[in-house]
Amino acid sequence: MIIVVKNSCEKNQYDNLVDWIKELGLDVHVSRGETSTVLGLVGDTSRVDIDLINSLDIVEQVQRVQEPYKNANRKFNPLDTIVNIGGHKVGGNIFQVIAGPCSVESEEQIITVAKAVKKSGATMLRGGAFKPRTSPYAFQGLKNQGIELLLKAKKETGLPIVTELLNINDIDLFEDVDVIQIGARNMQNFELLKEVGKIGKPILLKRGLANTLQELLMSAEYIMAEGNNKVILCERGIRTFETMTRNTLDLSAIPALKEKTHLPIIVDPSHSTGVSKFVPSMSLASVGAGADGLIIEVHNNPKKAWCDGAQSLDLEQFDKLMIKIKKMLSIVDKVYDGE
Ligand code: PEP
Ligand code: MN
């Protein structure tokens, strides 16, 4: 339920209303606008008397919210959420590009890629240290050593780092990580979502391989219900009957999510296509569809990559793509955050 309160009301009238809602055992999410304030009520609202609230003169409107997600709902927070990552803002009219290899392989590899993507204008560095692989015999990531190498790359380049957390027991290693990625395979690992909801770090939540947008929003709600509002959604392709691409990029997810949620949405054109040749066109299409950023796999030698080489851009391809992305941004009234 949302209650729209006129900003012209007296402070004590406003405080009385909020206290009364809290006494009913509900949480109140406050979103202040220029002329009115939206109070989002979270919890069992069945005992709230809508007619009574509507009759108060400080109240402009009361509305029941049908959707099961509350904190993530745009009705609760009409303005776009902007997530701050080491001075880089994700959301609003700002655009970010996160780039780097699928997995961290060596110091030389990650530092080379980090320096190159920074030079091309990327604003954050990605790299997997803990890898969720389909086969238990495939490379599982350099784990803690991988995190250490990412931190070295961060120190050398100043780029904030984004890396995936698979198991909450490893959380202490992530202290200096800027953004924790929850991968597609863990989108509905509810216990993990609750745990990352308890920490204050930004979370990049990827859409599951076969999950609806509503399920993605419910997963964001799990994180937000624990108090962490710094959630960035990521469309990374879903599984369909199509076999020419690794997944099917659901571009309509961007406008559909934008309508339903205030959270920023970025696109992963690498995992959604699985083919490096398709990454540039899908990146530009994502800009056109209104995404707040991209996360792109880039490797200094894709043919020799330990993981996802076929979908990784080389350094030159990424550099060329960045020029086009920046040109495209003016059409959608977005501003690039990097150089
Ligand atoms: C990744 O980003 O390397 C990754 C494993 O992505 P996803 O969870 O989307 O498959
Ligand atoms: Mn990958």
Side-chain angles (χ1 to χ4, degrees):
M1 181 180 290
I2 57 164
I3 304 174
V4 183
V5 180
K6 297 171 195 160
N7 280 354
S8 56
C9 77
E10 300 282 331
K11 188 178 176 302
N12 70 321
Q13 290 175 299
Y14 173 86
D15 290 344
N16 286 343
L17 176 61
V18 172
D19 289 347
W20 179 68
I21 298 165
K22 287 187 177 162
E23 276 163 23
L24 290 172
L26 300 166
D27 276 337
V28 186
H29 173 108
V30 181
S31 172
R32 278 182 212 287
E34 261 177 40
T35 55
S36 57
T37 296
V38 177
L39 302 181
L41 277 49
V42 187
D44 177 10
T45 54
S46 58
R47 283 180 303 142
V48 180
D49 184 340
I50 287 203
D51 297 330
L52 181 64
I53 296 177
N54 241 333
S55 68
L56 304 172
D57 4 305
I58 63 165
V59 170
E60 204 169 278
Q61 194 198 343
V62 187
Q63 197 188 339
R64 281 216 182 267
V65 174
Q66 304 301 335
E67 295 91 351
Y69 46 92
K70 310 293 175 193
N71 291 286
N73 203 312
R74 198 179 271 285
K75 286 178 190 150
F76 272 43
N77 203 39
L79 298 177
D80 287 344
T81 281
I82 295 177
V83 179
N84 196 324
I85 301 163
H88 296 280
K89 292 181 174 134
V90 185
N93 69 335
I94 301 158
F95 197 86
Q96 304 286 346
V97 176
I98 306 165
C102 179
S103 52
V104 181
E105 298 168 9
S106 66
E107 178 166 346
E108 196 203 342
Q109 175 240 21
I110 194 67
I111 303 280
T112 306
V113 177
K115 283 184 175 164
V117 296
K118 179 169 185 188
K119 200 158 169 244
S120 301
T123 46
M124 284 175 238
L125 176 69
R126 65 147 288 150
F130 293 90
K131 295 302 303 174
R133 304 303 299 276
T134 303
S135 166
Y137 309 118
F139 173 57
Q140 306 283 308
L142 292 181
K143 306 196 169 94
N144 39 344
Q145 194 202 343
I147 303 274
E148 276 167 27
L149 295 179
L150 281 167
L151 293 174
K152 251 190 188 166
K154 173 179 170 177
K155 212 169 164 196
E156 288 246 351
T157 58
L159 293 175
I161 53 174
V162 182
T163 193
E164 180 165 357
L165 174 74
L166 290 178
N167 186 332
I168 198 64
N169 295 335
D170 295 322
I171 193 67
D172 291 347
L173 298 169
F174 284 65
E175 200 175 329
D176 296 320
V177 165
D178 300 277
V179 181
I180 294 179
Q181 176 174 319
I182 298 296
R185 288 151 193 84
N186 272 320
M187 189 203 93
Q188 285 193 316
N189 182 339
F190 301 120
E191 293 307 315
L192 183 61
L193 298 177
K194 282 187 214 165
E195 292 299 328
V196 295
K198 289 179 195 145
I199 50 181
K201 275 192 199 294
I203 308 296
L204 176 63
L205 178 65
K206 296 187 102 178
R207 182 180 183 182
L209 277 73
N211 285 109
T212 64
L213 297 178
Q214 173 139 326
E215 285 164 345
L216 174 62
L217 291 171
M218 290 310 292
S219 292
E221 191 72 19
Y222 259 96
I223 299 169
M224 299 174 88
E226 297 293 335
N228 187 353
N229 291 324
K230 298 176 199 159
V231 180
I232 302 160
L233 304 174
C234 179
E235 163 58 37
R236 46 79 71 208
I238 45 172
R239 185 162 282 183
T240 66
F241 48 78
E242 187 48 66
T243 55
M244 281 196 198
T245 48
R246 183 176 177 182
N247 290 290
T248 297
L249 176 57
D250 178 10
L251 277 178
S252 56
I254 304 158
L257 285 168
K258 286 267 168 207
E259 195 172 285
K260 295 289 184 190
T261 183
H262 49 87
L263 296 173
I265 302 137
I266 68 166
V267 171
D268 174 344
S270 311
H271 291 89
S272 52
T273 60
V275 183
S276 63
K277 270 194 292 197
F278 302 163
V279 168
S281 52
M282 290 300 97
S283 298
L284 298 177
S286 304
V287 175
D292 297 302
L294 290 160
I295 178 162
I296 304 176
E297 284 189 344
V298 181
H299 197 283
N300 51 333
N301 189 353
K303 284 196 189 80
K304 294 233 167 109
W306 294 3
C307 184
D308 286 349
Q311 67 194 33
S312 301
L313 296 183
D314 66 23
L315 305 179
E316 201 185 323
Q317 289 165 333
F318 178 69
D319 192 62
K320 284 194 180 138
L321 173 59
M322 283 302 295
I323 296 167
K324 289 190 183 161
I325 290 172
K326 286 180 217 162
K327 275 193 193 157
M328 184 86 188
L329 286 171
S330 61
I331 300 174
V332 288
D333 294 328
K334 292 229 187 229
V335 182
Y336 190 59
D337 187 45
E339 282 156 29

